Amino acid sequence: MSKKDYKALGLTEEQVLDIYRTMLLARKIDERMWLLNRAGKIPFVISCQGQEAAQVGAAFALNREKDYVAPYYRDMGVVLAFGMTTTDLMLSGFAKAEDPNSGGRQMPGHFGQKKNRILTGSSPVTTQLPHAVGVALAAKMKHDPIVSFVTLGEGSSNQGDFHEGLNFAGVHKLPVITMVENNKYAISVPLEKQIASKTVAERAQSYGMPGVTVDGNDPLAVYDAVKQAHERALKGEGPTLIEAVSYRLTAHSSDDDDRLYRGSDEVEEAKKKDAIITFAKYLKDVGVLTDEVEKEMNEVIQQEVNDATDYAENAAYAKPEEALKFVYEE
Amino acid sequence: MPVMSYIQAITTALREEMQRDENVFVLGEDVGKKGGVFRATDGLYETFGEARVLDTPLAESAIAGVGIGAAMYGMRPVAEMQFADFIMPAVNQIISEAAKIRYRSNNDWHAPITIRAPYGGGVHGALYHSQSVEAVFANQPGLKIVMPSTPYDVKGLLKAAIRDNDPVLFFEHKRAYRLLKEEVPEDDYVLPIGKADIKKEGSDITVITYGLCVHFALQAAEKLAEDGISAHVLDLRTVYPLDQAAIIEAAKKTGKVLLITEDNKEGSIIGEVAAIIAENCLFDLDAPVQRLAGPDVPSMPYAPTMEKFFMINPDKVEKAMRELAEF
């Protein structure tokens, strides 16, 4: 449950409902992808479940008309907030030619869409961090008043690109916000075997930037932290590292069995803090969400996901020879 | 026409491109105030300022990765790796990212970055300041690898690399930097990436090579000419993707082909050149395709005896060319 007052953060009723709706949409698309995977219709799923609050809360604190994002593979909430549609995501799930991320070339979760300023991503982790720093460097050189936003998992904060990229951003005081979505696991390896420091956020100290840890299950807490970082970035005060702590509610991917390395009691405990439930409760407590609105929202989303699934399932694959295109400029 | 060294041609191309297009900027270790450890960026900091001639932290993956990000935003970064040997920490950024950005986004994004790096031996650089690293990148579709042999080619090809809408690795032979000088036009010319260049017409044997070895072949060709042997010399200039048509034409012309690289022999660029010739020219050949290359040891040792043993030189090239002519 959020400890923040949405009005004090400058958010309207409409905006917080939109945050919740986007979180819920991400969850419902993700759940559908799992069903499709288990039904043998799509080969792979990598999940956002448990991280929607951090993703959507952060995205809403950015300028969604101007800023650039370099999401990682779980960031369905971020890309939805930045203009990718349910149909786009389903087309990616089914690897169809119309998939705007890659035309069916990449696995789902490898986001990218230039018209929405979503940088294209890959599978080797953390490579996107220096890219986001490069965008911030370019924007600073061109005096463009934009911010770049990059996300990654806490496991990725061990990669060289994390440290090289943050240091570069710190030295040159660049307008880049790095958000580590700490979901406590790097596939099977738990946090305590990943990171020697107490938090990921304290790694920021070495790179001359503030590092803050926030409750990743509270979209308003994440919104607040990212909003402040955004203001600093636009004022020329440089980068910020934010660690949003939540929990990965699913296995790493559709090819992973998390029962091999963690107990179901732990997962059940985490589900009590699931933001899809707790944020809905908050919104009801403050009188923004009613049972009626919630029901209608679920129905609309259900229909949207159904329509997108049908559309994507029936859409065409790329022709085989399409595999030869776009190695170089044509 | 001014006479220019190989490295002056690099500086000139950078300067002219930075004047032409405000999106062009250079980044790397020591490229700013110092003007580069070899002084390839000499004077650019004074002309264009700190923002466009960026001294970066000592972190090659960031140099490449930040450059890639800036390129996706619309800039034309020219990243310098201080030595080609030090490009290894950036391999993930170059191969997993730069090479695949256009392809993986189905042509939505592209990353027009140029990465310059001095390579090559014969400068007492030992294992880690002498290597030829092109073969590491030469099976990565999406990348282009340019390795010019003359100041004239340097200027035209570096400009082409910077203007190219795909990532280009631009490897400069460090021993050529001050060794090679020639007249270079002052005008704004661009040479085509992906095209080999006939450096000398000949009719008895064909030598296909690139970089500094082109000069060894031309020197040897002069000596052979005294004995009535006419050598045809093809400079690959772009080693990936290869100019297959030019290779086939040059091989067919004489039917006797010597391939030369300063790199280790096995798995080098010239192995692929040999395969192209094998596929296309079997019935035109009058001798087995010959390869002259460095030995298959990890890299060039420091001691002058061993360095000389490793390096290709005009004498080794001449010997190989004579043997082929006599086959």
Side-chain angles (χ1 to χ4, degrees), chain A:
Chain A
M1 179 90 81
S2 182
K3 294 180 188 71
K4 304 267 177 186
D5 172 4
Y6 73 91
K7 284 182 199 156
L9 295 173
L11 287 163
T12 63
E13 264 188 36
E14 206 175 57
Q15 284 172 315
V16 280
L17 272 179
D18 201 11
I19 288 174
Y20 180 65
R21 193 196 63 80
T22 309
M23 287 165 52
L24 190 61
L25 178 60
R27 174 66 58 92
K28 295 298 174 190
I29 297 170
D30 199 277
E31 286 175 351
R32 176 61 57 86
M33 294 244 193
W34 279 90
L35 280 176
L36 292 166
N37 173 263
R38 293 315 192 222
K41 293 197 171 189
I42 64 174
F44 183 75
V45 182
I46 194 141
S47 224
C48 64
Q49 292 188 36
Q51 298 171 225
E52 299 94 336
Q55 295 166 1
V56 179
F60 272 68
L62 302 171
N63 183 333
R64 289 183 287 149
E65 304 295 320
K66 284 187 174 173
D67 291 340
Y68 278 61
V69 293
Y72 90 118
Y73 50 80
R74 297 196 190 281
D75 277 318
M76 195 182 285
V78 172
V79 299
L80 281 171
F82 264 74
M84 200 174 286
T85 67
T86 306
T87 306
D88 292 340
L89 289 161
M90 279 297 169
L91 285 163
S92 160
F94 280 96
K96 296 299 175 73
E98 277 180 80
D99 156 34
N101 297 278
S102 75
R105 292 171 175 211
Q106 294 218 75
M107 300 166 114
H110 294 59
F111 303 114
Q113 194 173 32
K114 195 171 189 181
K115 72 169 183 181
N116 286 320
R117 300 165 319 288
I118 301 166
L119 298 187
T120 169
S122 63
S123 306
V125 296
T126 332
T127 49
Q128 73 276 20
L129 200 151
H131 299 174
V133 175
V135 165
L137 175 70
K140 188 182 178 190
M141 288 169 83
K142 293 173 91 77
H143 306 291
D144 294 341
I146 64 128
V147 171
S148 82
F149 174 72
V150 58
T151 56
L152 56 146
E154 83 288 349
S156 297
S157 75
N158 298 314
Q159 287 283 355
D161 273 352
F162 177 82
H163 299 274
E164 291 195 20
L166 287 188
N167 184 56
F168 195 112
V171 167
H172 291 281
K173 275 195 168 309
L174 298 177
V176 55
I177 302 168
T178 302
M179 184 170 86
V180 172
E181 297 178 26
N182 180 351
N183 65 16
K184 314 264 178 73
Y185 283 92
I187 303 188
S188 68
V189 181
L191 187 59
E192 63 272 17
K193 287 187 180 166
Q194 282 279 338
I195 289 158
S197 56
K198 265 198 185 137
T199 67
V200 175
E202 66 193 69
R203 293 182 159 188
Q205 280 182 25
S206 305
Y207 307 120
M209 68 180 78
V212 290
T213 303
V214 292
D215 178 2
N217 289 318
D218 180 356
L220 299 183
V222 178
Y223 174 90
D224 190 20
V226 175
K227 195 78 187 166
Q228 289 183 40
H230 196 261
E231 280 164 17
R232 291 188 62 248
L234 285 180
K235 276 194 273 181
E237 291 171 13
T240 306
L241 175 65
I242 294 165
E243 175 187 14
V245 183
S246 64
Y247 190 81
R248 198 190 73 208
L249 294 175
T250 65
H252 165 70
S253 74
S254 51
D255 296 332
D256 174 40
D257 181 357
D258 61 335
R259 290 170 301 183
L260 295 171
Y261 52 82
R262 66 180 184 185
S264 59
D265 49 334
E266 182 187 311
V267 182
E268 288 312 313
E269 193 59 32
K271 280 184 178 168
K272 292 179 189 161
K273 294 180 196 159
D274 182 355
I276 300 294
I277 296 158
T278 58
F279 193 53
K281 182 166 187 324
Y282 165 84
L283 292 176
K284 285 178 185 174
D285 287 351
V286 295
V288 172
L289 185 68
T290 62
D291 289 342
E292 197 183 334
V293 171
E294 188 182 28
K295 184 166 173 280
E296 194 195 331
M297 199 184 269
N298 272 287
E299 284 167 6
V300 171
I301 287 173
Q302 174 84 4
Q303 191 59 46
E304 183 175 329
V305 174
N306 286 346
D307 292 348
T309 305
D310 290 345
Y311 182 88
E313 192 169 7
N314 293 313
Y317 284 114
K319 293 191 189 77
E321 315 76 50
E322 292 278 311
L324 297 173
K325 290 181 78 176
F326 308 131
V327 178
Y328 300 101
E329 184 181 34
E330 290 174 10

Side-chain angles (χ1 to χ4, degrees), chain B residues 130-210:
Chain B
S130 299
Q131 291 172 67
S132 299
V133 301
E134 60 273 19
V136 172
F137 301 98
N139 68 342
Q140 297 300 328
L143 292 181
K144 298 178 181 181
I145 309 173
V146 175
M147 301 182 75
S149 68
T150 68
Y152 174 82
D153 287 355
V154 161
K155 184 177 160 185
L157 286 167
L158 184 50
K159 281 168 170 274
I162 293 167
R163 296 180 199 183
D164 201 284
N165 286 327
D166 288 302
V168 179
L169 300 181
F170 195 89
F171 292 130
E172 305 155 2
H173 201 296
K174 68 177 80 73
R175 201 173 140 208
Y177 273 158
R178 288 179 175 76
L179 181 72
L180 303 178
K181 294 186 179 72
E182 69 178 347
E183 288 191 335
V184 175
E186 281 177 281
D187 52 304
D188 178 30
Y189 66 93
V190 172
L191 297 171
I193 292 175
K195 293 285 173 203
D197 184 47
I198 298 166
K199 285 289 191 279
K200 183 186 170 302
E201 291 279 358
S203 54
D204 295 326
I205 60 167
T206 294
V207 179
I208 303 177
T209 183
Y210 56 95

Side-chain angles (χ1 to χ4, degrees), chain B:
Chain B
M1 228 188 289
V3 170
M4 222 177 257
S5 67
Y6 189 100
I7 197 165
Q8 283 170 330
I10 288 158
T11 314
T12 304
L14 289 172
R15 177 179 289 280
E16 289 181 10
E17 288 306 291
M18 290 179 80
Q19 275 158 349
R20 187 187 60 81
D21 179 356
E22 63 176 19
N23 291 320
V24 178
F25 72 102
V26 303
L27 72 164
E29 295 152 10
D30 307 298
V31 299
K33 260 191 173 174
K34 183 176 165 68
V37 293
F38 289 99
R39 311 201 56 72
T41 53
D42 189 24
L44 300 182
Y45 180 88
E46 287 74 11
T47 307
F48 300 103
E50 198 175 357
R52 292 180 69 195
V53 189
L54 204 69
D55 274 326
T56 65
L58 203 170
E60 285 79 9
S61 187
I63 294 170
V66 170
I68 290 165
M72 283 198 274
Y73 190 77
M75 303 298 285
R76 295 270 159 178
V78 184
E80 179 179 300
M81 298 287 151
Q82 198 155 77
F83 285 83
D85 315 64
F86 305 155
I87 204 169
M88 299 310 164
V91 167
N92 194 31
Q93 282 291 347
I94 295 169
I95 290 181
S96 303
E97 301 299 318
K100 295 175 176 66
I101 277 170
R102 186 186 292 281
Y103 189 80
R104 78 180 186 217
S105 68
N106 203 28
N107 210 31
D108 196 25
W109 290 95
H110 65 286
I113 184 174
T114 301
I115 300 176
R116 298 179 35 249
Y119 78 99
V123 296
H124 315 299
L127 274 73
Y128 300 104
H129 299 78
S130 299
Q131 291 172 67
S132 299
V133 301
E134 60 273 19
V136 172
F137 301 98
N139 68 342
Q140 297 300 328
L143 292 181
K144 298 178 181 181
I145 309 173
V146 175
M147 301 182 75
S149 68
T150 68
Y152 174 82
D153 287 355
V154 161
K155 184 177 160 185
L157 286 167
L158 184 50
K159 281 168 170 274
I162 293 167
R163 296 180 199 183
D164 201 284
N165 286 327
D166 288 302
V168 179
L169 300 181
F170 195 89
F171 292 130
E172 305 155 2
H173 201 296
K174 68 177 80 73
R175 201 173 140 208
Y177 273 158
R178 288 179 175 76
L179 181 72
L180 303 178
K181 294 186 179 72
E182 69 178 347
E183 288 191 335
V184 175
E186 281 177 281
D187 52 304
D188 178 30
Y189 66 93
V190 172
L191 297 171
I193 292 175
K195 293 285 173 203
D197 184 47
I198 298 166
K199 285 289 191 279
K200 183 186 170 302
E201 291 279 358
S203 54
D204 295 326
I205 60 167
T206 294
V207 179
I208 303 177
T209 183
Y210 56 95
L212 189 62
C213 292
V214 169
H215 298 277
F216 300 156
L218 290 171
Q219 286 168 30
E222 273 183 37
K223 288 196 176 169
L224 265 63
E226 291 165 13
D227 301 322
I229 302 166
S230 165
H232 186 81
V233 180
L234 183 72
D235 177 3
L236 291 171
R237 294 204 296 202
T238 297
V239 300
Y240 192 82
L242 285 165
D243 184 352
Q244 299 208 17
I247 290 166
I248 293 164
E249 191 189 337
K252 285 185 173 176
K253 185 155 193 219
T254 68
K256 290 184 172 182
V257 187
L258 172 66
L259 309 175
I260 310 173
T261 181
E262 188 185 308
D263 196 0
N264 318 101
K265 188 173 187 176
E266 188 170 342
S268 67
I269 296 290
I270 59 172
E272 185 62 28
V273 177
I276 291 166
I277 295 169
E279 274 181 346
N280 295 282
C281 310
L282 178 64
F283 301 109
D284 298 285
L285 293 180
D286 298 320
V289 173
Q290 298 295 305
R291 287 187 291 167
L292 178 63
D296 289 320
V297 300
S299 185
M300 206 171 294
Y302 188 46
T305 47
M306 291 189 283
E307 182 188 57
K308 197 177 170 200
F309 176 80
F310 186 112
M311 272 298 283
I312 303 295
N313 61 39
D315 292 341
K316 291 181 188 178
V317 173
E318 185 187 338
K319 182 167 174 286
M321 284 167 72
R322 277 191 193 282
E323 282 170 9
L324 181 60
E326 286 158 14
F327 183 89

